[in-house]
Amino acid sequence: LTKYYGKKSWYIKGFKKAYDVGADIVSCSWHFDYIGKRNKRLMDEIIDELTTKGRDGLGTVVVCASGNGYSSEIGYPSSHSNAIAVGACQRNGYRTDFSNYGSGLDLVAPGVEIYTTTKKKRRQSDGTYIENRYATVKGTSYACPIVAGVAALVLSAEPSLCRDSVETILKQTAYKIPRYFTSDRLFHGEVGYGLVDAYGAILEVNKKYIQDEVYAS
């Protein structure tokens, strides 16, 4: 990954910058299959600090793509205990074949047939190239920001929530995809706690935090 995206130290500096500016949410549409002991230690330290002391002590929500390695182990930093690890699912809710999964996975979100902007060029019949402005893509990189967006909705409804509370709400309200949750099972290694549910998450915030305040006043 460093060949395409730069030195690992740049990522560490990015996390430090997020801490310095008091970022509410950090969305990481990237992962490392191998990071090395020293870089992992340094990144672990800053993620720990960011998620526990960031946002004036409430903790910054860090959301990470699980990776596209067709693996039963999620990549790093999604494997960090304080990160929300996100895999990719298809339209029918099934995990995509490329999406990394396993015991560390937290949630899934749509990761195929994503229509988005692009800088790729397309060759025309006359041999010239034109720049495509949009394309249909796939990957956990596109599932990750969906979960980050839902986390942002949760914080917009109740900004005083700590990082742990945001993660708990996302997990508790996730849609239990029937293929994986055929009983009272709460977690499945293929899809974590299920498909992120924006509507359900906001309802939970309103029920637990906002409604109580209204009635109390």
Side-chain angles (χ1 to χ4, degrees), residues 12-25:
I12 296 171
K13 289 179 181 177
F15 282 124
K16 289 181 178 178
K17 182 66 175 181
Y19 177 84
D20 291 339
V21 301
D24 294 323
I25 298 169

Side-chain angles (χ1 to χ4, degrees), residues 26-61:
V26 174
S27 181
C28 305
S29 286
W30 47 271
H31 78 283
F32 295 110
D33 293 321
Y34 175 77
I35 186 172
K37 290 183 179 179
R38 180 178 180 277
N39 283 319
K40 185 178 184 301
R41 176 178 59 80
L42 293 173
M43 201 170 289
D44 277 345
E45 289 175 356
I46 186 59
I47 293 176
D48 283 337
E49 187 173 19
L50 182 63
T51 54
T52 57
K53 300 179 182 178
R55 205 160 53 95
D56 294 325
L58 293 173
T60 296
V61 180

